[in-house]
Amino acid sequence: MDNFVSVFPYNNSSSSTSPHLSLNLMNDYSYSSDQNNTYDHLEDDHEHGLVEKNPISSSEEVVLDHVSPTSSGLGNSDGNDMSSASGSRKISIKKGEKKIRKPKCAFQTRSQVDILDDGYRWRKYGQKAVKNNKFPRSYYRCTYQGCNVKKQVQRLSKDEGVVVTTYEGMHSHPIEKSTDNFEHILTQMQIYSSC
DNA sequence: CGTGTTTGACCAGCGC
DNA sequence: GCGCTGGTCAAACACG
C-alpha cells in the first residue's frame, strides 16, 4: 500500500478531498497532563484567530498555528537533552528551575496510514494507550546519528481518518530519501514556525 | 547480522 | 501520600 496522504484544512467544511495541499501546523509546547484530548483544543485555537496564512505557492498552503513560543524556536534543536546515554531517563530539573519544554509542532493529516513517509528514518521506541482515545499513541525517534528529533503519532478517536503527528525538535541532517510533498512541507514548517 | 518493532516496566509530574 | 497518566527504556522478538 502506498502512503496516500492528504493533508487537510481544519475547517471540516471542506472535508471533501481538496486538490490543493493544506497543512495545519500547531506549535504546541505547553500541553500538560491535564489535557486529555491533547489536540482537541487546537481546533478552538483555529477559531481564535491564531492562524496565519502563508500561501507558499499556488498549489500549497500552510496554515500555521502559533502559540507564542517562549524560546526562539528549535534553532538549536539538536540539543535534545532527553537522550542521556548514561541511563538516567528523565531530565533532571533543578529546584526552582522551570521545566523547559521543547517546542513542538503538531499537525493533522487525513491519512489511511499512521506513518507518514516524510523521508526520514524513524525508530519506534514506545507506544501508549491514551486516555479518551481508543487508538494508541506511538513514539518515534529519528535514527540518524546525533539527531534526536522525536515525533508522536496518534489517530483521533473521534475521527478515525485523522492522524495527528507531533514533531519535537528539528533535524540536523538532510532528508534521507526524497519525498517531494513532505520535503516541501517540512521545509515550510522550518521556515514558518519556530519549531 | 543489522535494523526496526513490540511490550512490560519504570519514572516523573500532576491533581486530588 | 496516592493514584493516574504520559513519556521512556530496554530486553525480547521479527524480519530482510
Side-chain angles (χ1 to χ4, degrees), chain A residues 170-181:
Chain A
M170 203 169 76
H171 295 282
S172 55
H173 57 97
I175 289 178
E176 304 191 12
K177 49 178 179 178
S178 168
T179 53
D180 300 335
N181 272 345

Side-chain angles (χ1 to χ4, degrees), chain A residues 119-122 142-149 170-176 190:
Chain A
Y120 292 100
R121 292 174 62 202
W122 300 94
C142 183
T143 61
Y144 191 88
Q145 193 173 11
C147 180
N148 291 312
V149 176
M170 203 169 76
H171 295 282
S172 55
H173 57 97
I175 289 178
E176 304 191 12
Q190 292 166 9

Side-chain angles (χ1 to χ4, degrees), chain A residues 28-30 74 76-77 79-81 100-104 168-169:
Chain A
D28 180 28
Y29 64 97
S30 61
L74 289 180
N76 53 350
S77 65
N80 244 335
D81 40 14
I100 299 171
R101 230 179 255 276
K102 286 228 161 290
K104 296 181 181 180
E168 186 175 343

